[in-house]
Amino acid sequence: MIVFAVETSCDETSVCILNNKKKIFSHIVYSQSEHKKHGGVIPELASRSHLTILQKITKQALNQANIDIKKIDVFCATCGPGLIGGLLVGSTFAKSLALGVNKPFMPINHLEGHILSTSFNNDINYPHVCFLLTGGHTQIYLIKGIGKYELLGETLDDAIGEAFDKVAKLLKLSYPGGPIIEKNAIKGNVLAYKLPHPLKKNKNLNFSFSGIKTAVNLIVKNENRISEILIKDLSASFQETVTNILEEKLNLTMKQLIKKKIKTSQISLVGGVAANKYIFKRLKKVANEYDCSLVLPKKFMLSDNAAMIGWTCIKKISKNFSSDLMFKPNPRLSIDT
Ligand code: KG4
Ligand code: ZN
């Protein structure tokens, strides 16, 4: 079965041609650079860019794969959550291709794409715990099987990746902020600044990151200039604070599961922020304390990409989920079952 997948939910325009034997014939990810000067994604610019790029990279992907479009068995695209303009461009494009060659169209949930990305390179045991850490979401799920996801907790305000991006913007660093903050943090002092640890007293699995960002803003405003040392120390202190929060929530998740007599041996970290090596190292230690392994997707499936969307389509078809050409993209599409 050969699948053609499209991802356009935010600022990556991506297409992938792959099969159910995990062979990736072609995979193109175009990261829109026009948002860099704004320090965040501008939805209108993103939609226009998807519109310009999508046909080009589709031709390239078909050429690279050396596959005739009529040989594609299923077309799929991200239908939410995400920016509606991008979702409309990508899903309408993939639906049109499907109609043109009389093949089915599968709508895919972007979050499910991230969640199932680890099943491409790991044997996943159920139930397992998934920390979904992206620029738009921060959620903890109990994954009971494909299509069976229980939301245990989520952010009440900013997403963790968004917090990395906003702190980077305050420090006049470029977008996306995560990788630059991580790089600077290596050379900084984690104890240089004491930042708030929101919801510490609430023994639930929700997050809040907006207060940390406000605290960083105040520190930056109190300094005369943004020096190298400020960038390094504040990056380190910020990364340490969010890692402490994730560590605390992972401990709490495991304690709650033990209390409910739910046994799990695997925890996964997915989404762009899962690329952070410091966070991985610290959470791996916690996972191991509960006799769990900590698994990651392949590097090319960490940030937004069409390969995880195509892979999710394959996994869903294997569980008999049906195609739906009339599916309406939804910016707030949820997967909580
Ligand atoms: O999953 P993703 O590509 O997009 C969404 O679905 O939102 O995640 C992008 C986010 C950005 O906020 C970016 O700053 C963050 O992932 N990110 C990182 C790192 N690499 C990317 N955050 C922390 N450390 C990193 N190394
Ligand atoms: Zn994403």
Side-chain angles (χ1 to χ4, degrees):
M1 179 175 58
I2 303 180
V3 171
F4 181 90
V6 176
E7 160 60 41
T8 53
S9 66
C10 193
D11 57 340
E12 260 85 30
T13 317
S14 179
V15 296
C16 182
I17 302 173
L18 74 169
N19 72 9
N20 55 337
K21 302 272 188 287
K22 297 190 180 175
K23 181 163 170 59
I24 298 197
F25 299 100
S26 56
H27 185 210
I28 300 172
V29 182
Y30 173 85
S31 294
Q32 302 175 358
S33 56
E34 50 269 51
H35 306 288
K36 277 190 195 287
K37 60 176 176 287
H38 303 286
V41 181
I42 309 293
E44 179 62 21
L45 289 182
S47 323
R48 285 170 192 232
S49 190
H50 289 307
L51 208 52
T52 318
I53 301 298
L54 200 46
Q55 9 272 322
K56 271 188 210 158
I57 62 173
T58 296
K59 275 190 195 149
Q60 268 176 28
L62 287 164
N63 279 341
Q64 267 178 29
N66 199 16
I67 286 176
D68 188 291
I69 195 156
K70 294 192 192 84
K71 290 271 183 301
I72 307 277
D73 298 296
V74 183
F75 291 79
C76 66
T78 303
C79 284
L83 301 170
I84 189 64
L87 296 173
L88 275 171
V89 172
S91 63
T92 309
F93 180 74
K95 284 176 178 181
S96 316
L97 293 179
L99 265 177
V101 290
N102 204 17
K103 295 288 169 60
F105 170 82
M106 285 282 287
I108 303 295
N109 184 304
H110 181 80
L111 303 181
E112 195 169 15
H114 278 301
I115 287 172
L116 296 183
S117 62
T118 40
S119 65
F120 187 79
N121 58 321
N122 297 281
D123 285 325
I124 299 294
N125 309 319
Y126 299 108
H128 91 261
V129 172
C130 176
F131 271 52
L132 188 147
L133 310 172
T134 76
H137 293 83
T138 305
Q139 298 179 317
I140 306 172
Y141 284 99
L142 182 67
I143 315 292
K144 299 167 182 173
I146 293 160
K148 293 180 191 152
Y149 315 114
E150 184 186 342
L151 183 65
L152 303 178
E154 65 182 330
T155 183
L156 304 176
D157 41 55
D158 292 350
I160 183 166
E162 191 182 354
F164 270 96
D165 296 336
K166 284 181 175 168
V167 166
K169 191 175 178 183
L170 290 169
L171 291 170
K172 306 259 183 286
L173 302 171
S174 68
Y175 174 85
I180 305 157
I181 297 272
E182 182 179 9
K183 208 166 142 223
N184 278 290
I186 295 170
K187 297 169 236 148
N189 174 8
V190 295
L191 301 173
Y193 297 97
K194 191 161 167 45
L195 297 170
H197 186 132
L199 305 181
K200 196 167 185 180
K201 291 199 187 83
N202 292 34
K203 292 291 169 214
N204 63 38
L205 299 177
N206 291 331
F207 299 89
S208 167
F209 294 107
S210 69
I212 305 173
K213 174 198 68 195
T214 309
V216 169
N217 190 18
L218 277 177
I219 292 166
V220 174
K221 279 202 171 131
N222 282 335
E223 297 282 328
N224 285 334
R225 61 183 195 95
I226 298 176
S227 62
E228 277 296 303
I229 187 77
L230 175 75
I231 292 175
K232 287 176 183 137
D233 284 350
L234 207 41
S235 295
S237 302
F238 166 75
Q239 185 177 262
E240 183 69 13
T241 306
V242 295
T243 308
N244 288 343
I245 292 169
L246 291 170
E247 201 178 65
E248 179 218 26
K249 295 298 175 184
L250 181 53
N251 265 309
L252 209 53
T253 305
M254 297 315 290
K255 285 190 179 126
Q256 286 193 5
L257 293 182
I258 291 167
K259 215 167 162 185
K260 290 186 199 159
K261 298 202 171 19
I262 297 172
K263 215 176 145 23
T264 178
S265 60
Q266 224 172 25
I267 297 156
S268 62
L269 289 190
V270 301
V273 182
N276 188 296
K277 292 196 174 66
Y278 185 71
I279 292 178
F280 178 80
K281 203 172 92 192
R282 289 268 306 272
L283 294 191
K284 186 173 188 310
K285 213 164 151 242
V286 179
N288 294 163
E289 281 163 17
Y290 292 92
D291 288 330
C292 288
S293 59
L294 187 67
V295 298
L296 282 180
K298 284 235 180 230
K299 203 163 174 227
F300 68 90
M301 282 204 193
L302 274 169
S303 279
D304 288 352
N305 65 87
M308 70 179 188
I309 300 304
W311 178 242
T312 299
C313 175
I314 289 166
K315 291 296 247 185
K316 297 211 79 161
I317 290 172
S318 76
K319 294 285 171 195
N320 297 322
F321 283 84
S322 46
S323 63
D324 185 0
L325 189 67
M326 293 301 154
F327 191 90
K328 197 167 95 240
N330 177 355
R332 299 195 160 274
L333 193 63
S334 118
I335 50 165
D336 189 10
T337 47

